[in-house]
Amino acid sequence: MTAGLAVKTALFPFHAWLAPAHAGAPAPASAILSALVPKASFVILLRLWFEALPGLTTPALLATLGGLGAAAVFYGSVLALRQNRLKLIIAYSTVAQIGYLFLVFPLAGGDSYAQPWAAGAWTGVIFQALSHGLAKAAMFLCAGVWIIAVGNDRLSGMRGLASATPMTMSAFGIAGVALVALPPSGGFTAKYLMLTAAFASGQTIWAVVLLLGGLLSAAYLYRPLAMAFSRDDDATFAPVPRSLQVAPLLLALAAILLGLGSQAPFSLIQTGRPAAAAEGLE
């Protein structure tokens, strides 16, 4: 069951289908695929190990799932750094960002490992899923706008796009803030909670993964941003209706508001907290 759900979630090393599917689909489909599809199977995995079979969790199992998540963070980031197409960069970023979600297993543990930090780890990973969904949907829609403007999604054709599509450029930059987990985004709230759980539990290795993953995210997102802000006086772009640029901006802003107004979603998430997390607080 776990292996099958890992394939659906595109967890490393079962991720091979994700990048071609996301990069080859139309931008609106890519936005839905990246934001929602992997999260559904991940939620089933959470319920499976935290609620349906909590007594079967072992330290080895938790460490294995966390280790695969850490490998996904680094492997997906390195592949994103090597791509020359924007949609492939965003797609491999999803592979990396999904890896963060699996750190909840060693951080929160199962029923036999209920600890005070389990609730923070659980809440942090749900924040991460929500923030990533909003930011990544915004990025794929931004890529769709630029494909209309340029005709393709190659980085070499993106010079001068910042001045041609400032609304879309703002949306991409704001979404990048959430993915890198800078304050005051929902991604920052997520990583703060997960880092707190990592340090409180003495599992500093997962804290290192979270911090290095953020630096790698900044590195691969810098490339399209730098290209778009570079000047090219000879570049010509097809006009893009502003109506198509509103949706990605709203999604990116929502990822920021998730952090600014975190109290309401934080309280809502507690209603779905597994028994292990609740017992840890007690």
Side-chain angles (χ1 to χ4, degrees):
M1 292 170 67
T2 300
L5 291 167
V7 173
K8 186 70 173 177
T9 311
L11 173 66
F12 174 88
F14 308 105
H15 65 283
W17 64 269
L18 185 141
H22 290 196
S30 296
I32 295 174
L33 282 170
S34 183
L36 298 178
V37 172
K39 311 300 192 311
S41 49
F42 174 72
V43 169
I44 298 173
L45 271 172
L46 286 181
R47 297 301 182 186
L48 175 67
W49 286 112
F50 280 93
E51 295 185 325
L53 303 170
L56 297 183
T57 55
T58 63
L61 170 71
L62 299 175
T64 298
L65 291 173
L68 291 176
V73 171
F74 295 120
Y75 185 78
S77 297
V78 170
L79 286 182
L81 281 167
R82 297 177 59 187
Q83 303 307 311
N84 292 315
R85 288 181 52 200
L86 179 60
K87 289 190 74 177
L88 281 175
I89 292 174
I90 302 172
Y92 281 114
S93 170
T94 297
V95 174
Q97 297 285 324
I98 285 172
Y100 293 126
L101 303 182
F102 282 82
L103 299 185
V104 71
F105 290 98
L107 290 177
D111 186 55
S112 301
Y113 306 95
Q115 299 291 344
W117 54 80
W122 169 266
T123 305
V125 78
I126 301 302
F127 260 99
Q128 172 65 20
L130 293 172
S131 178
H132 171 262
L134 293 168
K136 196 52 64 71
M139 282 191 168
F140 271 118
L141 291 180
C142 288
V145 169
W146 287 332
I147 289 173
I148 294 174
V150 179
N152 59 69
D153 67 338
R154 297 193 177 278
L155 295 186
S156 57
M158 291 179 60
R159 295 182 184 275
L161 269 175
S163 58
T165 56
M167 186 184 299
T168 301
M169 197 71 250
S170 299
F172 192 89
I174 294 170
V177 167
L179 287 187
V180 179
L182 298 176
S185 66
F188 172 78
T189 302
K191 286 195 176 179
Y192 174 79
L193 291 168
M194 296 177 73
L195 281 169
T196 300
F199 287 122
S201 63
Q203 302 180 80
T204 54
I205 183 64
W206 308 122
V208 172
V209 172
L210 288 164
L211 294 173
L212 290 180
L215 293 176
L216 288 169
S217 299
Y220 61 69
L221 290 176
Y222 171 79
R223 295 176 62 224
L225 285 170
M227 191 64 70
F229 276 102
S230 61
R231 187 170 179 176
D232 187 351
D233 296 329
D234 298 327
T236 57
F237 304 107
V240 181
R242 285 189 175 270
S243 58
L244 294 181
Q245 303 183 53
V246 173
L249 182 59
L250 292 178
L251 287 167
L253 289 173
I256 301 298
L257 290 175
L258 183 65
L260 286 172
S262 58
Q263 182 58 49
F266 183 90
S267 300
L268 180 62
I269 289 170
Q270 306 316 306
T271 61
R273 189 172 55 199
E279 290 171 8
L281 288 178
E282 295 170 1

